[in-house]
């Protein structure tokens, strides 16, 4: 038996329930506040060789604003680019988000456009291209980049760059 006066236990229960309700409302409010502060993630680009893939968010840009030539040059020299091994006999597959494809994109190799602009979500390129001196390749690795354009009007303005390093396997 309890030694509490009659009705005191019921009052204590109400206080505990009220505290829990206030704590739950506070947690939900804090969660919504955090979610509203989050930025929308930038589109991703993926390179696949055989069964291996590497995915990255934009190294520079990716939010629809046109990048300056200096920004692009600096971006293409990214030392922390994600890398993947490429056998020269393999096909290298490049993929982008549909939002990027809708506005056109291209592949750059050592800063030079390698293929025509595309509005598809993926492109394929033979692995041998990336290590062929005829295409400007040197050594056992090559920097490649996916460059997003700003529209279908033929504009050459780049709005996002995803940089990768292809290593000879």
């Amino acid at each position: 038996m309890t030694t509490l006066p009659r009705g005191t236990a019921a009052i204590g229960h109400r206080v505990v329930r009220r505290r829990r309700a206030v704590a739950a409302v506070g947690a939900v409010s804090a969660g919504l506040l955090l979610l509203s502060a989050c930025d929308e993630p930038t589109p991703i680009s993926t390179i696949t060789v055989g069964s291996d893939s590497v995915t990255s968010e934009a190294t520079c840009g990716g939010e629809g604003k046109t990048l300056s030539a200096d920004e692009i040059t600096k971006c293409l020299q990214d030392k922390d680019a994600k890398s993947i091994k490429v056998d020269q006999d393999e096909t290298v597959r490049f993929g982008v988000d549909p939002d990027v494809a809708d506005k056109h994109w291209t592949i750059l190799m050592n800063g030079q456009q390698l293929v025509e602009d595309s509005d598809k979500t993926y492109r394929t390129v033979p692995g041998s291209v990336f290590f062929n001196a005829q295409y400007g390749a040197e050594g056992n690795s090559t920097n490649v980049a996916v460059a997003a354009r700003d529209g279908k009007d033929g504009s050459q303005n780049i709005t996002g760059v995803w940089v990768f390093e292809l290593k000879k396997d």
Side-chain angles (χ1 to χ4, degrees):
M1 289 225 359
T2 65
T3 57
L4 294 173
R6 188 173 196 171
T8 306
I11 293 172
H13 247 353
R14 280 188 233 143
V15 170
V16 170
R17 275 192 247 156
R18 195 173 301 136
R19 284 184 189 156
R20 286 183 187 156
V22 168
V25 167
V28 168
S29 297
L32 290 174
L33 181 63
L34 286 173
L35 284 175
S36 67
C38 291
D39 291 333
E40 185 177 321
T42 60
I44 61 169
S45 179
T46 303
I47 294 181
T48 303
V49 180
S51 61
D52 296 328
S53 292
V54 62
T55 300
S56 177
E57 286 191 2
T59 307
C60 300
E63 291 129 16
K65 298 177 188 170
T66 301
L67 298 172
S68 70
D70 289 341
E71 289 174 311
I72 296 167
T73 301
K74 183 178 178 185
C75 188
L76 291 173
Q77 297 170 358
D78 181 25
K79 299 296 181 198
D80 295 325
K82 293 193 176 182
S83 65
I84 189 167
K85 290 186 176 184
V86 177
D87 184 313
Q88 293 185 65
D89 295 330
E90 293 266 12
T91 297
V92 181
R93 292 170 180 80
F94 292 82
V96 297
D97 282 353
D99 291 342
V100 173
D102 286 344
K103 296 181 180 176
H104 284 236
W105 62 285
T106 191
I107 300 169
L108 306 176
M109 182 171 141
N110 298 321
Q112 301 299 315
Q113 188 168 344
L114 183 64
V115 296
E116 292 180 16
D117 283 6
S118 177
D119 62 354
K120 297 180 180 180
T121 56
Y122 73 95
R123 297 290 305 258
T124 60
V125 180
S128 60
V129 168
F130 299 105
F131 305 104
N132 189 329
Q134 177 181 349
Y135 296 102
E138 298 174 359
N140 291 326
S141 68
T142 300
N143 281 346
V144 295
V146 170
R149 304 288 190 190
D150 68 352
K152 298 178 182 180
D153 62 359
S155 172
Q156 296 300 308
N157 295 332
I158 294 177
T159 59
V161 178
W162 294 256
V163 179
F164 298 92
E165 180 184 23
L166 302 183
K167 294 182 177 181
K168 188 185 264 186
D169 189 11

